[in-house]
Amino acid sequence: MELRMLEYFLAVAREQNITAAAESLHISQPALSTQLKAMEAEFGKQLLIRGTKGSRKVVLTEEGMILRKRAEEILSLMRRTEEEISGSNETIAGNVFIGTGETEIVRLFAKIAKKLQKKYPDIRYTISSGNAEHVLDYLDKGISDFGLLFTEIDPHKYEAIPVPIKDTWGVLMRRDSPLAAKESICPEDLWDKPLIVSHQKGDHHYLGRWLQREESELHIVATYNLVFNASLLVDEGLGYALCYDKLINTHGSNLCFRPLSPRLDAQGYIVWKKYQVFSKAANVFLQYLREILENETE
Protein backbone atom coordinates (compact mmCIF):
# COMPACT_ATOMS: atom_id res chain seq x y z
CA MET A 1 0.00 0.00 0.00
CA GLU A 2 1.29 3.44 -0.91
CA LEU A 3 1.82 6.05 1.79
CA ARG A 4 -0.29 8.41 -0.30
CA MET A 5 -3.33 6.21 0.34
CA LEU A 6 -2.76 6.43 4.09
CA GLU A 7 -2.64 10.23 3.78
CA TYR A 8 -5.93 10.12 1.88
CA PHE A 9 -7.51 7.96 4.57
CA LEU A 10 -6.31 10.24 7.38
CA ALA A 11 -7.72 13.26 5.57
CA VAL A 12 -11.16 11.62 5.47
CA ALA A 13 -10.87 10.61 9.14
CA ARG A 14 -9.96 14.19 10.03
CA GLU A 15 -12.66 15.92 7.96
CA GLN A 16 -15.34 13.22 8.54
CA ASN A 17 -16.52 14.12 5.06
CA ILE A 18 -15.22 12.74 1.75
CA THR A 19 -15.97 15.91 -0.22
CA ALA A 20 -14.21 18.14 2.31
CA ALA A 21 -11.26 15.73 2.43
CA ALA A 22 -11.00 15.74 -1.37
CA GLU A 23 -10.89 19.54 -1.36
CA SER A 24 -8.13 19.60 1.26
CA LEU A 25 -6.15 17.06 -0.81
CA HIS A 26 -6.80 18.93 -4.08
CA ILE A 27 -8.23 15.87 -5.82
CA SER A 28 -11.72 15.11 -7.09
CA GLN A 29 -14.30 13.52 -4.83
CA PRO A 30 -14.88 10.53 -7.19
CA ALA A 31 -11.13 9.86 -7.33
CA LEU A 32 -10.89 9.87 -3.53
CA SER A 33 -13.93 7.59 -3.20
CA THR A 34 -12.30 5.15 -5.64
CA GLN A 35 -9.09 5.12 -3.59
CA LEU A 36 -11.02 4.47 -0.38
CA LYS A 37 -12.91 1.57 -1.92
CA ALA A 38 -9.61 0.13 -3.17
CA MET A 39 -8.23 0.29 0.39
CA GLU A 40 -11.25 -1.53 1.77
CA ALA A 41 -10.91 -4.16 -0.94
CA GLU A 42 -7.21 -4.61 -0.15
CA PHE A 43 -7.90 -5.09 3.58
CA GLY A 44 -11.08 -7.05 3.02
CA LYS A 45 -12.73 -4.92 5.71
CA GLN A 46 -15.10 -1.96 5.79
CA LEU A 47 -13.16 1.03 7.08
CA LEU A 48 -15.79 3.76 6.75
CA ILE A 49 -19.52 4.05 7.29
CA ARG A 50 -20.83 6.49 4.71
CA GLY A 51 -23.62 8.83 5.67
CA THR A 52 -27.11 8.54 4.33
CA LYS A 53 -28.48 10.98 1.77
CA GLY A 54 -29.49 13.35 4.56
CA SER A 55 -26.03 13.30 6.13
CA ARG A 56 -22.61 13.41 4.50
CA LYS A 57 -20.74 12.61 7.71
CA VAL A 58 -18.35 9.67 7.51
CA VAL A 59 -17.73 7.50 10.60
CA LEU A 60 -14.82 5.10 11.09
CA THR A 61 -15.53 1.46 11.80
CA GLU A 62 -13.54 -0.35 14.50
CA GLU A 63 -11.08 -1.51 11.81
CA GLY A 64 -10.95 2.06 10.48
CA MET A 65 -9.97 3.39 13.91
CA ILE A 66 -7.16 0.82 14.13
CA LEU A 67 -5.93 1.86 10.68
CA ARG A 68 -6.09 5.53 11.65
CA LYS A 69 -3.82 4.97 14.65
CA ARG A 70 -1.32 2.89 12.68
CA ALA A 71 -1.36 5.29 9.72
CA GLU A 72 -0.52 8.23 12.00
CA GLU A 73 2.41 6.26 13.46
CA ILE A 74 3.69 5.15 10.03
CA LEU A 75 3.56 8.63 8.51
CA SER A 76 5.17 10.14 11.62
CA LEU A 77 8.06 7.67 11.35
CA MET A 78 8.42 8.34 7.63
CA ARG A 79 8.63 12.11 8.15
CA ARG A 80 11.15 11.59 10.92
CA THR A 81 13.26 9.24 8.77
CA GLU A 82 13.26 11.68 5.86
CA GLU A 83 14.31 14.47 8.21
CA GLU A 84 17.20 12.43 9.62
CA ILE A 85 18.51 11.25 6.25
CA SER A 86 18.18 14.55 4.40
CA GLY A 87 19.81 16.59 7.19
CA SER A 88 23.08 18.35 6.32
CA ASN A 89 26.33 16.75 7.45
CA GLU A 90 27.43 20.09 8.83
CA THR A 91 24.23 21.00 10.67
CA ILE A 92 22.82 19.10 13.61
CA ALA A 93 19.08 19.66 13.59
CA GLY A 94 15.83 17.80 13.98
CA ASN A 95 13.67 16.45 16.77
CA VAL A 96 14.51 14.57 19.94
CA PHE A 97 11.49 12.50 21.00
CA ILE A 98 11.01 11.78 24.72
CA GLY A 99 8.28 9.80 26.47
CA THR A 100 7.65 10.49 30.15
CA GLY A 101 5.14 10.59 32.94
CA GLU A 102 4.46 13.52 35.24
CA THR A 103 7.59 14.06 37.28
CA GLU A 104 9.92 16.77 38.52
CA ILE A 105 12.71 14.92 36.66
CA VAL A 106 11.43 16.49 33.43
CA ARG A 107 13.47 19.50 34.60
CA LEU A 108 16.55 17.44 33.76
CA PHE A 109 15.48 17.36 30.12
CA ALA A 110 14.95 21.11 30.26
CA LYS A 111 18.49 21.59 31.60
CA ILE A 112 19.95 19.56 28.75
CA ALA A 113 17.86 21.38 26.15
CA LYS A 114 18.93 24.73 27.57
CA LYS A 115 22.58 23.72 27.49
CA LEU A 116 22.28 22.57 23.87
CA GLN A 117 20.24 25.55 22.71
CA LYS A 118 23.09 27.98 22.04
CA LYS A 119 25.30 25.54 20.10
CA TYR A 120 22.49 23.64 18.35
CA PRO A 121 19.54 26.04 17.94
CA ASP A 122 17.86 23.85 15.32
CA ILE A 123 17.24 20.91 17.67
CA ARG A 124 13.64 20.67 18.83
CA TYR A 125 12.09 18.50 21.53
CA THR A 126 8.86 16.53 21.40
CA ILE A 127 7.62 15.44 24.83
CA SER A 128 4.95 12.74 24.94
CA SER A 129 3.30 12.26 28.33
CA GLY A 130 1.73 9.03 29.52
CA ASN A 131 2.02 6.06 31.84
CA ALA A 132 4.71 3.35 31.65
CA GLU A 133 2.76 1.32 29.10
CA HIS A 134 2.51 4.38 26.83
CA VAL A 135 6.22 5.20 27.18
CA LEU A 136 7.33 1.62 26.43
CA ASP A 137 4.92 1.34 23.50
CA TYR A 138 6.40 4.47 21.90
CA LEU A 139 9.95 3.22 22.51
CA ASP A 140 9.21 -0.18 20.98
CA LYS A 141 7.62 1.37 17.90
CA GLY A 142 10.50 3.78 17.40
CA ILE A 143 8.32 6.83 17.96
CA SER A 144 10.34 7.94 21.00
CA ASP A 145 14.14 8.07 21.28
CA PHE A 146 14.16 8.05 25.07
CA GLY A 147 11.74 7.21 27.84
CA LEU A 148 11.64 8.09 31.53
CA LEU A 149 10.36 5.16 33.59
CA PHE A 150 9.98 4.22 37.25
CA THR A 151 9.45 0.50 36.66
CA GLU A 152 11.87 -2.42 36.37
CA ILE A 153 13.69 -2.40 33.03
CA ASP A 154 14.35 -5.49 30.88
CA PRO A 155 18.18 -5.31 30.44
CA HIS A 156 18.02 -7.61 27.40
CA LYS A 157 15.80 -5.15 25.55
CA TYR A 158 16.73 -1.69 26.83
CA GLU A 159 19.68 0.42 27.88
CA ALA A 160 19.04 2.46 31.02
CA ILE A 161 20.72 5.16 33.07
CA PRO A 162 19.52 5.68 36.66
CA VAL A 163 18.62 9.27 37.47
CA PRO A 164 20.18 10.58 40.71
CA ILE A 165 17.17 12.84 41.30
CA LYS A 166 14.33 10.94 43.00
CA ASP A 167 10.66 11.71 43.27
CA THR A 168 9.11 11.57 46.73
CA TRP A 169 5.68 10.03 47.30
CA GLY A 170 3.13 11.71 49.50
CA VAL A 171 -0.51 12.65 49.87
CA LEU A 172 -2.25 15.62 48.28
CA MET A 173 -5.20 16.75 50.41
CA ARG A 174 -7.36 19.71 51.33
CA ARG A 175 -5.99 22.00 54.03
CA ASP A 176 -9.14 21.40 56.10
CA SER A 177 -8.68 17.60 55.99
CA PRO A 178 -8.07 15.81 59.32
CA LEU A 179 -4.69 14.53 58.11
CA ALA A 180 -3.47 18.03 57.17
CA ALA A 181 -2.47 18.63 60.80
CA LYS A 182 0.16 15.88 60.52
CA GLU A 183 3.72 16.54 59.26
CA SER A 184 3.84 13.17 57.51
CA ILE A 185 1.43 10.36 56.71
CA CYS A 186 1.74 6.78 58.00
CA PRO A 187 0.19 3.72 56.30
CA GLU A 188 -2.49 3.30 58.97
CA ASP A 189 -3.61 6.92 58.44
CA LEU A 190 -4.91 5.95 54.98
CA TRP A 191 -6.44 2.54 55.60
CA ASP A 192 -9.95 3.92 56.10
CA LYS A 193 -9.67 7.01 53.89
CA PRO A 194 -11.09 7.52 50.38
CA LEU A 195 -8.04 7.29 48.11
CA ILE A 196 -7.31 8.61 44.62
CA VAL A 197 -4.44 6.63 43.09
CA SER A 198 -2.55 6.41 39.82
CA HIS A 199 -3.92 3.77 37.48
CA GLN A 200 -0.40 2.85 36.38
CA LYS A 201 0.04 -0.85 37.14
CA GLY A 202 3.53 -0.62 38.62
CA ASP A 203 2.46 1.97 41.17
CA HIS A 204 -0.18 -0.34 42.68
CA HIS A 205 2.37 -2.95 43.74
CA TYR A 206 4.85 -0.29 44.84
CA LEU A 207 2.37 1.60 47.02
CA GLY A 208 0.64 -1.57 48.19
CA ARG A 209 3.81 -2.72 49.92
CA TRP A 210 4.16 0.64 51.67
CA LEU A 211 0.48 0.68 52.66
CA GLN A 212 0.74 -2.93 53.94
CA ARG A 213 -2.62 -3.66 52.37
CA GLU A 214 -3.96 -5.32 49.24
CA GLU A 215 -5.77 -3.08 46.79
CA SER A 216 -9.07 -4.82 47.62
CA GLU A 217 -8.65 -3.81 51.29
CA LEU A 218 -8.36 -0.10 50.51
CA HIS A 219 -11.12 2.41 49.85
CA ILE A 220 -10.14 3.56 46.34
CA VAL A 221 -12.70 6.04 45.01
CA ALA A 222 -10.92 7.11 41.80
CA THR A 223 -7.84 6.55 39.68
CA TYR A 224 -5.98 9.11 37.58
CA ASN A 225 -3.53 9.43 34.74
CA LEU A 226 -2.82 13.16 35.13
CA VAL A 227 -2.07 14.55 38.58
CA PHE A 228 -3.70 17.87 37.73
CA ASN A 229 -7.02 16.09 37.22
CA ALA A 230 -6.52 14.26 40.52
CA SER A 231 -5.93 17.61 42.24
CA LEU A 232 -9.35 18.80 41.08
CA LEU A 233 -10.98 15.72 42.60
CA VAL A 234 -9.13 16.39 45.86
CA ASP A 235 -10.14 20.04 45.82
CA GLU A 236 -13.78 19.01 45.54
CA GLY A 237 -13.39 16.79 48.61
CA LEU A 238 -13.59 13.40 46.90
CA GLY A 239 -10.57 11.96 48.67
CA TYR A 240 -6.81 11.92 49.22
CA ALA A 241 -4.50 11.59 46.21
CA LEU A 242 -1.27 9.60 46.42
CA CYS A 243 1.23 11.26 44.10
CA TYR A 244 4.73 12.68 43.73
CA ASP A 245 5.78 15.91 45.43
CA LYS A 246 6.24 19.20 43.52
CA LEU A 247 3.82 18.37 40.71
CA ILE A 248 1.03 20.55 42.06
CA ASN A 249 1.76 24.07 43.30
CA THR A 250 -0.18 24.20 46.56
CA HIS A 251 0.94 27.72 47.51
CA GLY A 252 -2.09 29.93 48.07
CA SER A 253 -4.53 27.11 47.27
CA ASN A 254 -6.96 24.96 49.26
CA LEU A 255 -4.55 22.03 48.96
CA CYS A 256 -1.45 20.85 50.79
CA PHE A 257 1.03 17.99 50.38
CA ARG A 258 2.33 15.71 53.13
CA PRO A 259 5.18 13.18 52.58
CA LEU A 260 4.86 9.54 53.52
CA SER A 261 6.46 8.08 56.63
CA PRO A 262 8.46 5.92 56.28
CA ARG A 263 9.73 7.91 53.30
CA LEU A 264 9.02 6.42 49.89
CA ASP A 265 11.11 7.54 46.91
CA ALA A 266 10.76 6.54 43.28
CA GLN A 267 13.90 5.70 41.29
CA GLY A 268 13.73 6.92 37.73
CA TYR A 269 15.56 5.55 34.69
CA ILE A 270 16.21 7.14 31.32
CA VAL A 271 15.72 4.30 28.86
CA TRP A 272 16.25 3.60 25.17
CA LYS A 273 16.17 0.48 23.00
CA LYS A 274 19.30 -1.64 22.73
CA TYR A 275 21.17 -1.18 19.45
CA GLN A 276 19.11 1.94 18.76
CA VAL A 277 20.29 3.94 15.73
CA PHE A 278 19.93 7.55 16.84
CA SER A 279 19.62 10.68 14.76
CA LYS A 280 22.46 13.21 15.13
CA ALA A 281 20.22 15.34 17.35
CA ALA A 282 19.41 12.39 19.64
CA ASN A 283 23.08 11.40 19.79
CA VAL A 284 24.07 14.90 20.92
CA PHE A 285 21.26 14.89 23.48
CA LEU A 286 22.49 11.56 24.91
CA GLN A 287 26.05 12.86 25.09
CA TYR A 288 24.98 15.92 27.07
CA LEU A 289 22.68 13.78 29.21
CA ARG A 290 25.61 11.60 30.27
CA GLU A 291 27.71 14.69 31.06
CA ILE A 292 25.02 16.26 33.23
CA LEU A 293 24.34 13.01 35.10
CA GLU A 294 28.05 12.56 35.77
CA ASN A 295 28.19 16.06 37.25
CA GLU A 296 25.07 15.38 39.35
CA THR A 297 26.65 12.28 40.91
CA GLU A 298 30.04 13.85 41.65
Side-chain angles (χ1 to χ4, degrees):
M1 176 178 293
E2 297 180 15
L3 294 177
R4 173 174 52 85
M5 294 183 71
L6 294 180
E7 291 174 342
Y8 287 175
F9 177 77
L10 287 178
V12 174
R14 180 184 66 249
E15 301 291 343
Q16 297 184 320
N17 182 289
I18 295 176
T19 302
E23 290 175 357
S24 71
L25 294 166
H26 305 292
I27 63 174
S28 69
Q29 185 269 329
L32 179 56
S33 294
T34 300
Q35 294 285 355
L36 294 171
K37 289 176 182 176
M39 288 183 71
E40 291 181 318
E42 184 173 343
F43 283 111
K45 296 285 185 179
Q46 183 180 0
L47 303 173
L48 305 164
I49 301 173
R50 281 76 172 172
T52 60
K53 290 183 178 180
S55 171
R56 295 183 179 181
K57 185 176 181 180
V58 173
V59 179
L60 299 183
T61 63
E62 184 176 350
E63 290 79 10
M65 288 188 283
I66 293 172
L67 178 59
R68 177 179 187 172
K69 185 175 186 298
R70 298 300 179 222
E72 288 172 343
E73 293 171 354
I74 291 168
L75 292 175
S76 174
L77 282 173
M78 276 303 302
R79 285 191 289 269
R80 180 177 169 188
T81 303
E82 289 170 356
E83 179 185 87
E84 291 171 358
I85 292 174
S86 63
S88 165
N89 289 331
E90 291 77 29
T91 303
I92 295 180
N95 278 285
V96 176
F97 297 84
I98 303 168
T100 179
E102 290 181 293
T103 165
E104 178 75 5
I105 298 174
V106 171
R107 287 187 180 275
L108 176 63
F109 299 140
K111 285 183 180 180
I112 300 168
K114 180 64 177 176
K115 192 172 182 180
L116 284 168
Q117 194 174 55
K118 188 173 182 180
K119 189 173 182 180
Y120 305 108
D122 295 322
I123 295 180
R124 294 177 296 174
Y125 304 89
T126 300
I127 308 295
S128 175
S129 299
N131 57 20
E133 289 83 1
H134 168 90
V135 173
L136 286 172
D137 183 50
Y138 270 42
L139 280 175
D140 291 341
K141 290 174 179 174
I143 297 172
S144 291
D145 296 308
F146 306 99
L148 177 58
L149 294 166
F150 294 90
T151 58
E152 292 183 5
I153 309 301
D154 182 353
H156 301 292
K157 193 172 181 180
Y158 305 103
E159 300 281 359
I161 301 176
V163 181
I165 311 162
K166 294 185 179 181
D167 278 318
T168 301
W169 280 97
V171 183
L172 188 68
M173 64 187 79
R174 287 175 58 101
R175 292 185 184 277
D176 57 3
S177 301
L179 295 183
K182 298 174 64 71
E183 291 185 2
S184 59
I185 305 301
C186 302
E188 55 268 27
D189 293 330
L190 300 175
W191 288 346
D192 62 344
K193 298 295 187 295
L195 303 180
I196 301 167
V197 300
S198 164
H199 64 223
Q200 185 161 296
K201 293 178 182 177
D203 289 346
H204 290 190
H205 178 68
Y206 197 63
L207 288 168
R209 284 187 300 179
W210 181 88
L211 284 163
Q212 304 166 24
R213 288 289 187 273
E214 297 293 330
E215 185 178 343
S216 59
E217 299 177 283
L218 300 170
H219 181 30
I220 297 175
V221 295
T223 62
Y224 68 85
N225 186 33
L226 298 174
V227 177
F228 176 74
N229 289 339
S231 73
L232 298 181
L233 301 182
V234 173
D235 195 34
E236 290 298 323
L238 183 64
Y240 296 80
L242 279 78
C243 61
Y244 294 150
D245 194 7
K246 300 180 182 178
L247 297 183
I248 298 295
N249 183 4
T250 59
H251 181 70
S253 76
N254 294 328
L255 305 180
C256 62
F257 181 90
R258 298 291 182 265
L260 302 182
S261 179
R263 184 186 175 97
L264 184 64
D265 291 328
Q267 173 67 65
Y269 298 88
I270 295 173
V271 182
W272 62 94
K273 287 174 69 176
K274 270 186 175 292
Y275 316 113
Q276 173 82 2
V277 178
F278 285 126
S279 66
K280 292 176 184 178
N283 261 323
V284 169
F285 180 86
L286 180 57
Q287 175 189 333
Y288 274 61
L289 169 65
R290 291 185 187 277
E291 289 178 7
I292 284 183
L293 290 181
E294 285 174 7
N295 292 334
E296 292 279 354
T297 54
E298 286 179 357

